[in-house]
Amino acid sequence: MTTAMWFQAIGILLIFLVFVGLMMARKLPTILALPCMAILFAIIAGVPWLSNNPDVTSIAKTILAGGSMKLSGAIAGLIFGAWFGQVLNKVGITKSIIRKAAELAGDKPVLIAILFFITASIIFSAAGGLGMVILVGTIVIPIMLTAGISQFVASIVVLLAVGVGSLFNVSNWAVYVDVLGLSVDKIANYTLVVALPLIVISLIMIVFYVKKDGKGRKAWAMPAATPGDNKKVPAIALISPLVPVLLVFIFKIDIVPAVIIGAIVTILLTWPKRPIHILSSAMIEGIQDVAGAMALMIGIGILLSSVMSPQVSAVISPLIESVLPGNPLMYILFFTILSPLAIYRGPLNVWGLGSGIAALFVTAGMTPVAAMLALRAVSNVQSVSDPTNSHNVWVADFTKSDINEILKKTLPWTMASVLISLIFGAFMVF
């Protein structure tokens, strides 16, 4: 690297640290921070604003215009996933699954917590987003608290289910398809490597904390009943949330068609009144649920286009290459020790800087599969423990728990799941 490139690298690193600090301090939302960083990185690296030559990278055309469309496939998957979640809600499947789990558990706190963890994980594997977390949480949390389970345990049951469900939620996989160029079936092949350790750790964690401090208050105001709470759903229809997952895993169908088939199967199995209205209104409400995530993906695409531009990549790649793990042991240690960098919108957060960092890892020589596996394993820390997650904030507020206590108590467990995943994964990808 020349002296000028070193100065550029230092400038980009300083900008990076300043914006990470602003995001961690909640002074600047990630939606705005990502495109701002992308533009400043490009300016420092010498990318022109405009160019008459279509083959020359420019900020206006390549980074802003092209970058905003870069994750269009991931955005489509997100929209259809949210649509499917609303269909499940409108026909009554979501509440029926929760009601069945509550009936099976009876009044046994450990069994209640485990069944609700499994149930919520299945629901979140079909539909994510804050809206679905609120829908599920407002039902299962009061039941758990009424059964004597503590506020903290009730909180982590929902948050652990979010973490497990997000790993199987095929609409989330599209970001890895767009960023790393991997096929859906390749992502599916490695899903159990990152999911099974988190599932086992979650079950151990739930049992441990229920036994340790599971006695909480039993007086809790149940949420008011809403229209459709007693809606009769055929038992066979309760498999609907798993349809897209099974289509992707077994038949290797792409994400969007798998979700569409899942929605059609749901309608056919439940055959509600006004099915066309349900499908159309679910699409509108689903888009509303994921509007923030869509804006975030646009920012991620812009940042990706910036860091992958020839000028920025030439400045950053030597720095990435100097820290890139080159063997299984270093791969395991590197991503396990640094996994807390996935929280507070840090550099290993796939919904922030992580996508750009992963792309640079690949540019520097890491295989796309190794980058994907590391990012997905580390996402277990982010999805469960990150206090900047909207679902963490809502759950802590709803249960009147301390969000920082949730972080401190869950972080060692989620890091353990990362370590186990990387131990198994490292010998598969090296």
Side-chain angles (χ1 to χ4, degrees), residues 279-307:
L279 291 173
S280 59
S281 62
M283 177 62 79
I284 295 170
E285 293 175 30
I287 291 174
Q288 292 172 344
D289 287 343
V290 297
M294 289 165 58
L296 193 59
M297 282 190 171
I298 291 172
I300 291 171
I302 292 171
L303 181 64
L304 274 173
S305 294
S306 177
V307 299

Side-chain angles (χ1 to χ4, degrees), residues 240-275:
S240 298
L242 296 177
V243 171
V245 180
L246 295 175
L247 289 175
V248 171
F249 268 89
I250 298 174
F251 299 102
K252 311 301 182 186
I253 295 177
D254 286 335
I255 294 166
V256 171
V259 173
I260 292 174
I261 293 171
I264 293 172
V265 169
T266 301
I267 292 295
L268 291 176
L269 290 178
T270 57
W271 201 250
K273 296 178 181 178
R274 305 174 68 195

Side-chain angles (χ1 to χ4, degrees), residues 109-409:
V110 173
L111 187 58
I112 289 174
I114 290 175
L115 281 179
F116 278 156
F117 163 69
I118 295 170
T119 301
S121 297
I122 292 171
I123 292 170
F124 294 142
S125 72
L130 180 60
M132 187 56 66
V133 174
I134 293 174
L135 172 67
V136 172
T138 52
I139 301 172
V140 303
I141 289 174
I143 295 174
M144 286 189 281
L145 295 177
T146 303
I149 295 172
S150 72
Q151 291 96 317
F152 170 72
V153 175
S155 299
I156 65 169
V157 166
V158 176
L159 295 178
L160 290 167
V162 171
V164 172
S166 65
L167 293 172
F168 289 99
N169 191 326
V170 294
S171 64
N172 290 335
W173 297 2
V175 67
Y176 300 99
V177 174
D178 286 352
V179 172
L180 300 173
L182 292 168
S183 62
V184 172
D185 62 309
K186 180 70 73 174
I187 298 170
N189 291 339
Y190 288 89
T191 294
L192 290 179
V193 176
V194 291
L196 283 180
L198 182 60
I199 293 170
V200 173
I201 289 289
S202 297
L203 291 172
I204 296 172
M205 187 178 175
I206 289 169
V207 173
F208 173 80
Y209 278 116
V210 169
K211 297 291 187 182
K212 180 175 180 289
D213 61 354
K215 294 299 180 182
R217 58 186 176 182
K218 291 203 172 188
W220 182 268
M222 292 292 287
T226 58
D229 278 359
N230 297 316
K231 192 177 293 184
K232 297 295 182 182
V233 175
I236 186 65
L238 300 183
I239 67 167
S240 298
L242 296 177
V243 171
V245 180
L246 295 175
L247 289 175
V248 171
F249 268 89
I250 298 174
F251 299 102
K252 311 301 182 186
I253 295 177
D254 286 335
I255 294 166
V256 171
V259 173
I260 292 174
I261 293 171
I264 293 172
V265 169
T266 301
I267 292 295
L268 291 176
L269 290 178
T270 57
W271 201 250
K273 296 178 181 178
R274 305 174 68 195
I276 301 300
H277 172 74
I278 286 177
L279 291 173
S280 59
S281 62
M283 177 62 79
I284 295 170
E285 293 175 30
I287 291 174
Q288 292 172 344
D289 287 343
V290 297
M294 289 165 58
L296 193 59
M297 282 190 171
I298 291 172
I300 291 171
I302 292 171
L303 181 64
L304 274 173
S305 294
S306 177
V307 299
M308 294 176 70
S309 65
Q311 297 92 328
V312 177
S313 180
V315 173
I316 300 178
S317 290
L319 301 178
I320 298 295
E321 289 173 5
S322 66
V323 299
L324 198 68
N327 58 66
L329 179 60
M330 290 306 299
Y331 177 82
I332 294 165
L333 293 176
F334 181 86
F335 286 106
T336 300
I337 294 170
L338 296 182
S339 59
L341 293 180
I343 62 177
Y344 292 109
R345 302 299 174 183
L348 292 183
N349 188 326
V350 69
W351 298 104
L353 305 173
S355 296
I357 298 295
L360 288 173
F361 279 153
V362 173
T363 303
M366 182 179 283
T367 64
V369 171
M372 177 271 295
L373 186 64
L375 214 59
R376 294 194 76 194
V378 168
S379 73
N380 292 344
V381 171
Q382 183 269 327
S383 57
V384 176
S385 304
D386 191 352
T388 66
N389 288 332
S390 56
H391 55 263
N392 285 58
V393 174
W394 180 84
V395 167
D397 180 68
F398 189 72
T399 60
K400 302 298 184 288
S401 301
D402 184 349
I403 196 168
N404 292 312
E405 181 190 14
I406 292 174
L407 168 63
K408 287 186 289 186
K409 287 188 174 180

Side-chain angles (χ1 to χ4, degrees), residues 179 223 419 428:
V179 172
L419 175 62
M428 298 172 67

Side-chain angles (χ1 to χ4, degrees), residues 73-109:
I75 292 172
L78 193 69
I79 290 172
F80 279 94
W83 171 61
F84 182 48
Q86 282 293 337
V87 171
L88 293 175
N89 179 32
K90 287 179 177 292
V91 300
I93 287 177
T94 302
K95 293 180 180 179
S96 294
I97 291 174
I98 295 170
R99 190 163 54 244
K100 291 287 185 183
E103 291 171 358
L104 287 172
D107 59 354
K108 302 177 181 64

